[in-house]
Amino acid sequence: MSGDKEKSTVTSAPPSPSPSSVPPSVEFTKGINGLQKFILRESRGSSAEVYLYGGHVTSWKNDHGEELLFLSSKAIFKPPKAIRGGIPICFPQFAGHGTLDQHGFARNRFWAVDEDPPPFPTNTLNKAFVDLILKPSEEDMKIWPHSFEYRLRVALGTGGDLMLTSRIRNTNSDGKPFTFTFAYHTYFSVSDISEVRVEGLETLDYLDNLQNKERFTEQGDALTFEQEVDKIYLSTPTKIAIIDHEKKRTFVLRKDGLPDAGECYQAYFMPNMCLPPS
């Protein structure tokens, strides 16, 4: 992400949520440089931190207090710079797949608390969660002329599982659909990369960003890392495992509704979608 371009336009910080909208397992506080954040806590000791700036998950700890996400020591919590590490949200563009700056603008904007989200399709009982919403500003509409509502729920389950659910609604008044790409650009904390392998991508086709996005088919039983890797895997399964032999830890990634996945020493999902107005 060191080569990413940053926009100079930043919306103002949103107002604090009302006390009634914050459940007991969720704490609203100030983080680095006074930026507002939520801390989600689970009864067994796991936790997650979510900043309103970027709708950005910056920390996810298991019940032993071990950090599961990587956050760069060079991370600058100062708008308009994007936060380096954690789980940046790439929207409405992933990487350079479009005319916008690298990874779009959602990660450079202040999100608001969604005080009255629509009914949620998945069970959130016994979960600590927060609902956020992003709408385009006038400046956003100048560089990407589409009206939308991006709703994000970050939930921490009873076993410490972290779930991010995105719901994007087309609110264009002219009735025109729009196309976008999107990713959870997740940075996992792992040991030496040579001790890590990824299972679930075997025999899949991928686009190699180091070879001008040329299409290849993956060979071998599992993906290992012996050199720089930057690939987008196509039509991936609903479950991928990242196995860290040195830390004796396995991340299991489950997805629904996202067709593709990628590996570049980080893991992310990237769909390309056309969204008609609702």
Side-chain angles (χ1 to χ4, degrees):
M1 297 174 63
S2 59
D4 296 354
K5 300 177 182 178
E6 309 293 352
K7 296 298 293 183
S8 60
T9 301
V10 181
T11 55
S12 60
S16 301
S18 62
S20 61
S21 67
V22 180
S25 55
V26 178
E27 177 186 355
F28 184 69
T29 185
K30 288 186 177 180
I32 299 174
N33 289 335
L35 294 178
Q36 297 169 320
K37 70 176 181 179
F38 285 92
I39 303 176
L40 313 182
R41 292 187 176 89
E42 188 269 332
S43 59
R44 299 179 185 178
S46 60
S47 66
E49 296 186 6
V50 189
Y51 276 76
L52 289 183
Y53 181 60
H56 200 127
V57 178
T58 58
S59 175
W60 173 32
K61 294 181 180 180
N62 61 19
D63 54 7
H64 299 294
E66 299 169 331
E67 182 58 63
L68 304 178
L69 297 177
F70 170 79
L71 189 68
S72 173
S73 59
K74 298 180 180 180
I76 300 175
F77 287 71
K78 187 176 181 180
K81 294 288 186 179
I83 299 171
R84 298 179 64 181
I87 309 180
I89 292 179
C90 305
F91 176 86
Q93 176 183 300
F94 171 69
H97 297 270
T99 60
L100 298 175
D101 286 341
Q102 183 90 338
H103 295 321
F105 52 74
R107 65 192 183 128
N108 305 90
R109 299 294 185 265
F110 282 100
W111 295 52
V113 176
D114 194 353
E115 301 278 4
D116 188 26
F120 210 76
T122 59
N123 182 16
T124 54
L125 294 177
N126 302 318
K127 292 181 181 178
F129 65 89
V130 62
D131 287 304
L132 304 181
I133 187 169
L134 178 68
K135 298 179 182 180
S137 66
E138 291 183 2
E139 293 299 317
D140 295 335
M141 294 289 287
K142 291 179 181 178
I143 61 173
W144 199 69
H146 305 291
S147 182
F148 65 88
E149 292 178 349
Y150 187 145
R151 285 183 161 87
L152 172 69
R153 172 167 290 188
V154 181
L156 189 66
T158 54
D161 294 342
L162 183 66
M163 177 183 293
L164 275 68
T165 305
S166 291
R167 295 182 289 178
I168 301 167
R169 180 186 174 206
N170 183 342
T171 57
N172 277 335
S173 59
D174 58 11
K176 293 183 179 180
F178 58 75
T179 299
F180 64 92
T181 51
F182 152 85
Y184 298 134
H185 199 314
T186 308
Y187 291 74
F188 291 104
S189 178
V190 298
S191 61
D192 190 300
I193 194 64
S194 65
E195 296 294 324
V196 175
R197 78 175 192 269
V198 180
E199 295 182 350
L201 302 176
E202 302 84 357
T203 73
L204 295 182
D205 286 356
Y206 64 87
L207 305 179
D208 194 329
N209 289 328
L210 300 180
Q211 299 192 47
N212 296 318
K213 297 182 175 63
E214 189 173 348
R215 185 164 179 157
F216 297 94
T217 300
E218 188 62 61
Q219 307 293 328
D221 295 331
L223 180 64
T224 56
F225 302 91
E226 299 176 355
Q227 57 189 3
E228 184 179 1
V229 175
D230 190 350
K231 303 175 181 179
I232 297 174
Y233 287 83
L234 307 175
S235 302
T236 55
T238 57
K239 176 182 175 182
I240 298 172
I242 302 174
I243 302 168
D244 187 338
H245 294 285
E246 184 172 319
K247 288 189 175 182
K248 297 181 173 58
R249 174 187 296 160
T250 298
F251 294 100
V252 178
L253 283 66
R254 301 179 188 274
K255 64 166 186 170
D256 181 24
L258 302 179
D260 305 326
E263 300 293 337
C264 60
Y265 292 179
Q266 310 111 20
Y268 47 81
F269 297 129
M270 187 205 73
N272 186 310
M273 298 182 176
C274 182
L275 196 64
S278 57

